[in-house]
Amino acid sequence: GENVEQHPSTLSVQEGDSAVIKCTYSDSASNYFPWYKQELGKRPQLIIDIRSNVGEKKDQRIAVTLNKTAKHFSLHITETQPEDSAVYFCAGWGDDKIIFGKGTRLHILP
Amino acid sequence: NAGVTQTPKFQVLKTGQSMTLQCAQDMNHEYMSWYRQDPGMGLRLIHYSVGAGITDQGEVPNGYNVSRSTTEDFPLRLLSAAPSQTSVYFCASSYSVLGNNSPLHFGNGTRLTVT
């Protein structure tokens, strides 16, 4: 079955700098990779996703890249702002199940 | 649309008690799933369903049962609660059908404490 590894578990960046979170997956049949943001006490919410036939996708300050050969994908947040502080989860969806990474707690420092 | 609705929001159980966490969605989603969230462990899949009448196990199914008699509802049953089941439980649904995967929509969660 699918296994998703996420790094780092904690990340601190200065406001205005960029943040990068990386994930690897094990199931070569996985074809859909969403990223979720979870603020304290709230439910996870989708921020961006990418399908296996695409190498990169951007949405304003957020981008995701996918390397199918290496089985890894990354989330890039540019010009970070205080409201970017949250826990971010990557996930891989192949076959019937969507499996999440363990999450990255992102701190934006003033 | 209400989206994904979970009840109750909070619950305290004693060891050995049973209960059902309710989940309903009004988006006509075929795919529904239950996750538990523990500190440092991320979101772990308990059970999932790809359509009415079909259920399957996820990563951590022991101690939990599910059923899917309708498209809308996907209840999670704790048969005999244990302190290790203290967690936040999320129900999530998606339109995904036959490998055409699409985003999960999450409910607001149920915070369960077992004493």
Side-chain angles (χ1 to χ4, degrees), chain A residues 33-96:
Chain A
F33 305 93
W35 285 88
Y36 286 81
K37 176 183 180 182
Q38 187 179 30
E39 297 176 346
L40 190 62
K42 296 191 176 181
R43 60 185 166 183
Q45 296 205 305
L46 180 77
I47 55 172
I48 196 167
D49 56 10
I50 191 167
R51 299 189 184 276
S52 57
N53 59 346
V54 175
E56 184 176 2
K57 183 176 178 181
K58 287 183 179 180
D59 184 3
Q60 299 182 340
R61 297 187 296 109
I62 294 173
V64 57
T65 58
L66 172 65
N67 183 327
K68 281 195 65 179
T69 303
K71 294 185 195 171
H72 65 70
F73 56 113
S74 301
L75 177 71
H76 305 254
I77 306 174
T78 59
E79 300 173 10
T80 52
Q81 299 171 5
E83 55 264 35
D84 294 329
S85 291
V87 179
Y88 292 81
F89 293 98
C90 63
W93 194 325
D95 219 1
D96 289 343

Side-chain angles (χ1 to χ4, degrees), chain A residues 31 36 38 43 51 96 98, chain B residues 31 35 37 101 103-104 106:
Chain A
N31 58 15
Y36 286 81
Q38 187 179 30
R43 60 185 166 183
R51 299 189 184 276
D96 289 343
I98 180 166
Chain B
Y31 186 92
Y35 290 87
Q37 185 172 30
N101 300 319
L104 282 177
F106 283 86

Side-chain angles (χ1 to χ4, degrees), chain B residues 7 14 21 25 30 35 38 40-41 45 50 52 55 73 79-80 89-90 93 97:
Chain B
T7 56
K14 294 185 176 179
L21 278 63
Q25 52 87 13
E30 291 291 331
Y35 290 87
D38 304 292
M41 299 298 292
L45 181 64
V50 299
T55 64
D73 300 298
L79 307 174
S80 177
Y89 291 83
F90 286 100
S93 72
V97 176

Side-chain angles (χ1 to χ4, degrees), chain B residues 4 6 13 16 18 22 25 33 41 43 45-46 55 57 67 71 73 75-77 79 88 90 93-94 99 105-106 113:
Chain B
V4 180
Q6 285 185 242
L13 291 178
S18 62
Q22 301 293 343
Q25 52 87 13
S33 54
M41 299 298 292
L43 294 154
L45 181 64
I46 304 172
T55 64
Q57 296 181 348
S67 59
T71 299
D73 300 298
L76 178 72
R77 297 184 186 86
L79 307 174
V88 178
F90 286 100
S93 72
S94 169
H105 297 256
F106 283 86
T113 301

